[in-house]
């Protein structure tokens, strides 16, 4: 291992330790436990993922199908792969082959193609419904309107190879000046509504580097951290 590689291991290890300390502190403050850290590795090299594996990380988040597919083939480590990017219908067959969890199902038209692809390889997939709780979300950002959440949930729950896990959400960007607690409180309320009909769908995927404490306060079971652990992302090629 050369000097650069040693420095990279040290940086990632320190950042990962700090992230776990933040999560543990938030769990202690709000009486929570069992929060899963998903390290967002999009645009970062495979060498970083090898380091993460050696440091005990098992949950990786990717948002680009081609990149994630290549990494999953190249790596022999036992990761759980989370699809956290928007889903294009023409990429579903590929996504289903590498992803273990899809966080961004936000319209009914995706359910049947995902189910067919999963059935074709006899694979069970965990599915989160992405809900839009950001009134300032730019055009094209994913997320179903909360009023349309339940019909989508029923479609997912009826699919033999899909397991409805719960809800995923992204809080408004800090530049909007909106308190993320407002968004996460809404997600918590929607989660309670979802569980009235689907008691097993109790997970909440929410919270990133800037707002993970607020997300945990309002019930997040999964938080997604990228730059806080791996640093700024290299330019997308």
């Amino acid at each position: 291992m050369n000097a650069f590689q040693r420095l990279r291991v040290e940086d990632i290890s320190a950042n990962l330790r700090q992230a776990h300390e933040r999560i543990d502190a938030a769990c202690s403050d709000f009486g929570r436990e069992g929060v899963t850290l998903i390290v967002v590795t999009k645009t970062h090299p495979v060498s970083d993922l090898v380091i993460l594996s050696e440091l005990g990380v098992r949950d990786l988040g990717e948002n680009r199908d081609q990149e994630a597919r290549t990494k999953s083939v190249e790596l022999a480590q036992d990761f759980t792969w989370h699809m956290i990017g928007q889903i294009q219908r023409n990429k579903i067959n590929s996504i289903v082959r590498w992803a273990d969890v899809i966080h961004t199902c936000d319209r009914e038209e995706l359910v049947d193609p995902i189910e067919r692809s999963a059935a074709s390889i006899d694979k069970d997939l965990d599915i989160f419904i992405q809900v839009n709780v950001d009134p300032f979300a730019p055009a094209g950002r994913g997320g179903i309107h909360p009023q349309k959440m339940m019909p989508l949930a029923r479609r997912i729950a009826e699919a033999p190879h899909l397991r409805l896990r719960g809800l995923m959400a992204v809080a408004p960007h800090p530049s909007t000046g909106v308190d993320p607690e407002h968004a996460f409180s809404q997600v918590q309320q929607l989660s309670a509504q979802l569980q009235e009909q689907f008691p097993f769908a109790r997970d909440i995927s929410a919270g990133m580097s800037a707002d993970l404490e607020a997300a945990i306060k309002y019930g997040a079971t999964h938080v997604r951290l990228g730059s806080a652990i791996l640093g700024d992302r290299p330019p997308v090629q």
Side-chain angles (χ1 to χ4, degrees), residues 175-193:
S175 63
T176 65
V178 176
D179 189 340
E181 289 202 13
H182 177 75
F184 294 140
S185 175
Q186 184 181 357
V187 176
Q188 187 179 53
Q189 294 171 22
L190 292 170
S191 177
Q193 178 184 339

Side-chain angles (χ1 to χ4, degrees), residues 114-133:
I114 294 174
E115 166 61 25
R116 285 196 298 269
S117 293
S120 71
I121 58 173
D122 194 25
K123 179 178 181 179
D124 293 330
L125 278 174
D126 289 341
I127 306 291
F128 285 82
I129 294 173
Q130 183 178 0
V131 290
N132 182 7
V133 292

Side-chain angles (χ1 to χ4, degrees), residues 5-219:
Q5 291 170 328
R6 285 196 298 272
L7 181 61
R8 187 62 175 152
V9 171
E10 292 172 1
D11 285 345
I12 293 176
S13 179
N15 292 342
L16 187 63
R17 182 168 58 253
Q18 184 177 40
H20 280 298
E21 288 173 353
R22 289 180 64 189
I23 292 169
D24 291 344
C27 287
S28 177
D29 288 344
F30 304 118
R32 299 288 317 288
E33 60 182 14
V35 174
T36 297
L37 169 61
I38 300 169
V39 179
V40 180
T41 51
K42 58 185 181 182
T43 77
H44 286 282
V46 167
S47 58
D48 281 352
L49 278 64
V50 172
I51 293 172
L52 289 170
S53 175
E54 292 171 349
L55 293 172
V57 172
R58 292 294 174 265
D59 291 271
L60 303 181
E62 291 280 340
N63 74 337
R64 301 171 68 205
D65 168 62
Q66 183 175 351
E67 178 185 353
R69 183 175 68 248
T70 300
K71 288 177 177 176
S72 68
V73 170
E74 187 170 346
L75 289 166
Q77 286 83 355
D78 184 20
F79 291 119
T80 296
W81 295 90
H82 298 256
M83 173 58 172
I84 61 172
Q86 293 311 116
I87 299 173
Q88 298 174 308
R89 288 195 59 165
N90 65 339
K91 301 288 188 180
I92 287 176
N93 283 337
S94 177
I95 291 169
V96 166
R97 279 161 173 74
W98 63 261
D100 302 294
V101 189
I102 292 176
H103 289 245
T104 50
C105 187
D106 62 357
R107 54 197 188 277
E108 290 188 53
E109 68 186 51
L110 296 175
V111 177
D112 286 347
I114 294 174
E115 166 61 25
R116 285 196 298 269
S117 293
S120 71
I121 58 173
D122 194 25
K123 179 178 181 179
D124 293 330
L125 278 174
D126 289 341
I127 306 291
F128 285 82
I129 294 173
Q130 183 178 0
V131 290
N132 182 7
V133 292
D134 180 0
F136 301 100
R141 177 178 287 181
I144 195 168
H145 191 283
Q147 291 182 352
K148 298 180 180 180
M149 175 186 74
M150 295 306 295
L152 175 56
R154 285 191 286 272
R155 290 286 297 275
I156 296 170
E158 292 169 356
H161 292 83
L162 307 185
R163 297 180 296 223
L164 178 62
R165 290 285 300 272
L167 302 181
M168 180 271 213
V170 179
H173 193 273
S175 63
T176 65
V178 176
D179 189 340
E181 289 202 13
H182 177 75
F184 294 140
S185 175
Q186 184 181 357
V187 176
Q188 187 179 53
Q189 294 171 22
L190 292 170
S191 177
Q193 178 184 339
L194 181 67
Q195 291 178 64
E196 289 177 2
Q197 292 193 33
F198 307 100
F200 49 83
R202 61 179 62 92
D203 289 338
I204 297 176
S205 171
M208 296 185 289
S209 299
D211 53 29
L212 74 85
E213 287 85 1
I216 290 173
K217 177 180 179 179
Y218 288 97

